Amino acid sequence: MPIELAPPAAARDSLLGNFIAGSWSNDGTDERVADLDPASGEPLIEVVRSPSRLATEALAVAAEAQQHWRRRSPLERASVISSAASLLRERSEQIAETMSREEGKPLPEARGEVGRAAEVLDVVAGYAHKPTGEVFPRRRQEQWLLTLSSPLGVVVVIAPWNFPLLIPAWKVAPALLAGNSVVLKPAETTPLTAAHLVQAFADAGLPPGALNLVLGRGSELGPALLQAPATAVSFTGSNNTGRELASRAVEQHMKFQLELGGSNPVLVLADADLDLTVREVVAGATSSSGQKCTATRRVYVEEGVVENFTEQLRAALAPLRLGPGIDAATDVGPLVSSEAKADFDGAVAEVEKVADVHAFGTQPEQGFFVRPRLALGGDPDHPLFREEIFGPMAALFAVADFEEGIARCNDTPFGLSASLFSSNLTHALAFADGIDAGMIHVNSQTTGAEPHIPFGGFKQSSSFSRELGRHGIEFFSQVKTVYLEGT
Ligand code: ADP
């Protein structure tokens, strides 16, 4: 029943099309690609592979629509966003099942993602009631000095597959609230989930053209999307693609925002609650099959407890059940694609040359599954342990003390998130101060994104802006200064 995974209006004859100027269509497309179920490798639906011409067309449509959308009051724009949040909640079961079938994550995680996306929309809508400018002291009594917040224009959103609803939602909603129009290009592997987001906005009353969806290959559509009339791009994905997009954005004089990789550390001190730590490390390393930019990759444990902790961690990883996301018994779903599996398998083979790699769970026969891995006994200075590996793998090392732990945690080109497990407040404060990362956790896993607080990283993990909350909205606006005087 592939068609039931799509919003009813979006797919005709088991073919998912683009959403441009307010309607679903496969016009202008000849090529099709299969959207695969990663648990079986079987196709769920056919999807159009758009030529770059359609990206150009979508930008033109968005530019026209933005002229009207920007004139709606922020409260009107917010009411559309709130209605879209309600629709996501009403459709939660269908969207979660679609996401679980298409991306592979276990159904409870998919349901959580739908709920979180709806919450993000509500939080964004709430900003319509907040001030958006400032009034400055006057030099002369007759002249008022103030700022207004202006939209950027047409925003391109290039989204990843690992949070196929939440990440597009947290980019699209603030862009729309700020009065921009959007062209969304979802990841090739998760177009159905993106179609649900677009349909929710359309059904919520968003005017035609204010949000458009173009399906196809990033490498083909990217160059056409990063051109006038687009004025900004918000991207989440790999560092290589991010670098390419950033240089193109600079050439085209577009504002850009990049959320990239991570190699997120955990430091476990001897005074940690080990049961809690084990639970959080397992979740941080294996939820969404480790395919999160905030996933736990490196675990540094104080020498006194390293043996005990390693034993408990292995015992907790051993019973994990691999299976399709939609099976209630599944703890760990497949990776998203055969390419993701090949990359992960290649990385494991490299790590196996320099550490003892232990595998857990039973490998299913079909699909793009990989067994969760724990690397022990490696040299923490080896470059492999500083890089991002996208999948359920963590490496564990002993450290002599807190100071060595901090230094090891920081020893990576990335700086997205980091966790400390300890009951010592002084160490907690020193950790929050001393770690070069955008998000610090004390006694909780490295993953997580609250809808109302900033999300983003230091170093090569981000491009110095933040998503979510107030910061997330600011990216999509520009400041206009007004010198105001009567005649
Ligand atoms: P991953 O390797 O994790 O899939 P990517 O950075 O390749 O990460 O993909 C993230 C998003 O970027 C996807 O939507 C993908 O289609 C898109 N993308 C990939 N290459 C390009 C490119 N050259 N230009 C624009 N978008 C791209």
Side-chain angles (χ1 to χ4, degrees):
M1 303 272 179
I3 204 115
E4 286 178 10
L5 295 173
R12 246 169 268 131
D13 303 324
S14 290
L15 175 66
L16 182 67
N18 293 313
F19 188 77
I20 300 177
S23 55
W24 294 98
S25 158
N26 53 33
D27 288 355
T29 64
D30 299 321
E31 288 190 65
R32 278 87 183 88
V33 283
D35 182 14
L36 301 181
D37 175 351
S40 65
E42 298 295 322
L44 294 169
I45 194 166
E46 292 284 300
V47 181
V48 298
R49 178 170 161 179
S50 309
S52 59
R53 192 170 46 71
L54 287 180
T56 308
E57 185 184 320
L59 290 179
V61 163
E64 166 70 26
Q66 199 251 339
Q67 293 307 318
H68 307 286
W69 179 241
R70 65 179 298 186
R71 291 195 172 81
R72 299 269 191 106
S73 83
L75 292 175
E76 277 181 78
R77 298 199 292 257
S79 114
V80 171
I81 295 169
S82 294
S83 302
S86 306
L87 290 172
L88 291 182
R89 288 196 180 93
E90 267 172 35
R91 299 169 186 177
S92 172
E93 243 351 81
Q94 195 203 352
I95 300 174
E97 186 182 331
T98 300
M99 189 191 311
S100 181
R101 295 278 300 276
E102 182 178 60
E103 197 270 352
K105 69 180 66 185
L107 203 44
E109 288 183 43
R111 289 190 183 114
E113 184 171 337
V114 180
R116 187 50 63 92
E119 214 183 330
V120 165
L121 266 49
D122 282 339
V123 168
V124 168
Y127 277 93
H129 298 273
K130 301 266 195 306
T132 54
E134 290 175 294
V135 179
F136 290 81
R138 290 174 253 176
R139 183 179 294 280
R140 292 187 288 111
Q141 195 56 21
E142 315 76 64
Q143 188 183 54
W144 292 51
L145 304 173
L146 49 115
T147 56
L148 304 175
S149 174
S150 280
L152 300 172
V154 177
V155 170
V156 173
V157 169
I158 300 185
W161 44 265
N162 58 344
F163 287 94
L165 186 76
L166 179 60
I167 293 181
W170 87 32
K171 294 174 186 291
V172 167
L176 291 174
L177 183 76
N180 303 285
S181 59
V182 178
V183 177
L184 167 62
K185 201 220 72 66
E188 290 86 330
T189 40
T190 51
L192 278 169
T193 308
H196 279 286
L197 181 68
V198 168
Q199 187 70 55
F201 274 110
D203 293 345
L206 190 69
L211 172 61
N212 306 278
L213 179 78
V214 183
L215 304 174
R217 288 185 80 86
S219 53
E220 289 165 11
L221 298 176
L225 285 170
L226 267 74
Q227 274 185 24
T231 50
V233 57
S234 179
F235 168 80
T236 298
S238 66
N239 281 63
N240 285 342
T241 305
R243 255 188 297 275
E244 192 182 321
L245 290 180
S247 47
R248 193 175 288 278
V250 169
E251 269 169 31
Q252 299 290 322
H253 205 79
M254 290 170 70
K255 190 173 182 184
F256 64 91
Q257 174 180 54
L258 312 174
E259 283 303 331
L260 307 169
S263 174
N264 309 292
V266 162
L267 176 56
V268 185
L269 298 184
D271 62 8
D273 173 339
L274 286 195
D275 290 341
L276 166 81
T277 311
V278 166
R279 266 201 316 277
E280 294 294 290
V281 167
V282 169
T286 66
S287 59
S288 288
S289 301
Q291 301 170 110
K292 296 183 183 178
C293 49
T294 50
T296 302
R297 288 286 163 257
R298 299 172 290 135
V299 185
Y300 301 106
V301 188
E302 230 179 347
E303 267 159 12
V305 289
V306 70
E307 215 169 293
N308 190 2
F309 178 76
T310 309
E311 220 166 275
Q312 286 194 38
L313 186 59
R314 291 179 61 165
L317 288 165
L320 290 179
R321 289 159 304 191
L322 278 64
I326 50 164
D327 281 4
T330 293
D331 298 307
V332 180
L335 296 192
V336 71
S337 63
S338 59
E339 292 81 7
K341 177 174 159 54
D343 286 350
F344 181 79
D345 288 343
V348 168
E350 288 303 304
V351 176
E352 277 171 344
K353 293 179 191 160
V354 299
D356 297 326
V357 178
H358 300 258
F360 303 89
T362 307
Q363 177 78 37
E365 276 168 23
Q366 291 180 303
F368 312 135
F369 290 92
V370 299
R371 298 171 72 200
R373 304 297 213 285
L374 180 64
L376 299 174
D379 173 0
D381 285 327
H382 197 287
L384 269 180
F385 297 119
R386 298 193 178 112
E387 297 301 327
E388 179 169 58
I389 293 175
F390 227 57
M393 163 128 94
L396 190 150
F397 310 94
V399 287
D401 52 24
F402 178 70
E403 282 69 34
E404 187 196 347
I406 290 265
R408 292 276 178 215
C409 285
N410 280 335
D411 185 16
T412 169
F414 296 106
L416 193 55
S417 71
S419 295
L420 173 74
F421 289 87
S422 169
S423 51
N424 180 317
L425 180 61
T426 306
H427 280 146
L429 296 172
F431 188 82
D433 234 11
I435 292 292
D436 300 329
M439 294 176 287
I440 306 292
H441 294 256
V442 175
N443 295 316
S444 58
Q445 55 182 290
T446 52
T447 66
E450 287 289 339
H452 56 302
I453 62 173
F455 182 97
F458 286 11
K459 301 198 270 185
Q460 293 183 22
S461 289
S462 291
S463 63
F464 315 108
S465 66
R466 291 291 179 271
E467 302 198 272
L468 295 175
R470 174 173 62 79
H471 298 74
I473 294 170
E474 280 169 5
F475 171 79
F476 295 103
S477 316
Q478 53 192 334
V479 174
K480 183 180 279 181
T481 301
V482 182
Y483 294 75
L484 181 64
E485 191 167 353
T487 51

